[in-house]
Amino acid sequence: MSVPQPPEPVPGARLLFSLDPAVSHLNHGSFGAVPIGVQRAQQRLRDEMETNPLRFFTQGLIDRITHTRRHLATFLGADPEGTALVGNTTTGVAVVLGSLGLRPGDELLTTDHGYGAVAFAVERECRRTGASHRVLRVPLTATDEEVVEIVRAGLRPGRTKLLIVDQLTSPTAKLLPTAAIVGLARERQVPVLVDAAHAPGMLPTPVAGVGADFWVGNLHKWAYAPRGTAALVVAPPWRDRIEPLVVSWEQPAGFPGNVEWQATLDYTPWLAAPVGLYTLRSLGVERVRAHNAALAAYGQRVVGDALGVAPTDLPEPDGPSVAMRIVPLPPGVATTLDAARELQKRIADRLATEVAVTSWGGRGWLRLCGQVYNSPDEYDRLAVRLPPFLAAA
């Protein structure tokens, strides 16, 4: 099988970012990259705030946040009245967990493709409330139908108080059939929280059609927003039950205002986020998605070939616009979380390449992303340099 052709570059896109040109940034999925225009918009907001802090915080800020929320929610395909802006996905997860009223005997259900910090949050809530945590094992090669059947067998109606499932998994870059899972869980009266950290900007209207009780996703990854911008979407039956992590003067307003308002929080990332959407639309939303997905597929293939991985052993993400791909590392490499972190650091230091290295299923994996500021030669260079680097380690 031949290596897929890389996509045509998006003209001028690289100049929109202030990334170090001496480094290959192939890990957009971890912290994103904020376009220069968005950085400047946020700085203007910071300047406004510091020119007169009292005026900034007390005269119209809540209305500005509300207007921004409506703009971002519409982009996501969400109900603005059921959407709250939060700092990141894990903050939204914490809000939901703290609002469930868990008791001893209750159960939280996740899959083994979940994000590590979310697992930590679940474990902490279980320690605090006496609930239990159970993990469903989902094979990397499972089809959508097989994933749904695994979830079906794992639900315990009456005991399972929340199922947390990723829309697009972080460690394995696998697109899960969230709409089908939510429909199945609803039949059994089990609420679902969709962890959609990577969905905004990458997947079209990722909230619409899913129907989850709770959905939370970051806009500072693939939607070009400043870091610290995420959305928590809550279905109508749950909105009156949501409790913020910090009680503020907006507590009487209820959701979403009581979650959003935290006194002297820096709200400039949220207010600048629509400029990120403007940047995305200026480049062409569908064009960016197609480019990024094709580039990630190219990178996966050339690096996989260099490491001797058969094309059939390169996991497919199961979605046409998924801009993250994983490559299995040689046996014995990065088999633990600590080893994965150390290898990621050494690749950054010695190969001037930022990637994600994860440990999942007892094996090390290299996660590569595609973004408009990347070029095929960055993956080609990694393909040439990585095998001898690993062999010498």
Side-chain angles (χ1 to χ4, degrees), residues 195-357:
D195 179 344
H198 292 275
M202 187 193 295
L203 305 180
T205 54
V207 177
V210 173
D213 301 87
F214 313 99
W215 181 102
V216 59
N218 294 321
L219 287 105
H220 54 241
K221 292 181 183 286
W222 302 92
Y224 299 155
R227 290 173 200 87
T229 307
L232 169 62
V233 183
V234 178
W238 290 95
R239 293 173 189 172
D240 291 341
R241 298 172 58 178
I242 293 295
E243 291 292 341
L245 298 179
V246 178
V247 175
S248 72
W249 283 103
E250 284 300 297
Q251 183 68 8
F255 185 85
N258 64 345
V259 169
E260 291 176 333
W261 187 254
Q262 296 180 37
T264 53
L265 184 74
D266 183 1
Y267 300 97
T268 62
W270 301 353
L271 299 180
V275 183
L277 297 188
Y278 174 80
T279 304
L280 182 60
R281 290 178 174 126
S282 297
L283 294 172
V285 178
E286 293 305 321
R287 182 184 193 181
V288 168
R289 287 174 179 150
H291 170 276
N292 293 348
L295 193 56
Y298 173 82
Q300 180 195 43
R301 185 60 182 279
V302 295
V303 174
D305 282 355
L307 293 176
V309 181
T312 53
D313 292 331
L314 294 173
E316 290 285 339
D318 301 318
S321 62
V322 175
M324 301 194 304
R325 298 276 184 137
I326 60 172
V327 178
L329 292 170
V333 175
T335 57
T336 67
L337 181 59
D338 287 343
R341 287 173 173 169
E342 176 59 26
L343 177 59
Q344 178 174 319
K345 182 179 184 301
R346 289 194 293 114
I347 291 174
D349 292 343
R350 300 184 188 181
L351 302 186
T353 303
E354 297 290 353
V355 296
V357 180

Side-chain angles (χ1 to χ4, degrees), residues 160-212:
T160 305
K161 298 302 180 182
L162 184 70
L163 166 64
I164 302 177
V165 63
D166 295 66
Q167 196 160 14
L168 175 63
T169 66
S170 178
T172 55
K174 184 177 179 64
L175 191 66
L176 296 180
T178 48
I181 291 171
V182 169
L184 170 66
R186 181 176 293 111
E187 293 175 1
R188 288 156 174 73
Q189 297 183 321
V190 174
V192 180
L193 165 61
V194 173
D195 179 344
H198 292 275
M202 187 193 295
L203 305 180
T205 54
V207 177
V210 173

Side-chain angles (χ1 to χ4, degrees), residues 355-385:
V355 296
V357 180
T358 61
S359 177
W360 185 88
R363 183 166 192 174
W365 299 84
L366 183 77
R367 193 188 72 186
L368 300 171
C369 299
Q371 188 49 264
V372 293
Y373 52 73
N374 293 130
S375 60
D377 63 285
E378 293 178 293
Y379 306 91
D380 295 337
R381 286 197 300 269
L382 180 62
V384 170
R385 300 173 68 190

Side-chain angles (χ1 to χ4, degrees), residues 66-85 205-208 215 219 231-233 277 281:
T66 300
H67 177 76
T68 299
R69 179 211 311 146
R70 288 172 179 164
H71 186 93
L72 300 179
T74 300
F75 174 77
L76 296 171
D79 176 9
E81 301 307 313
T83 302
L85 300 180
T205 54
V207 177
W215 181 102
L219 287 105
L232 169 62
V233 183
L277 297 188
R281 290 178 174 126

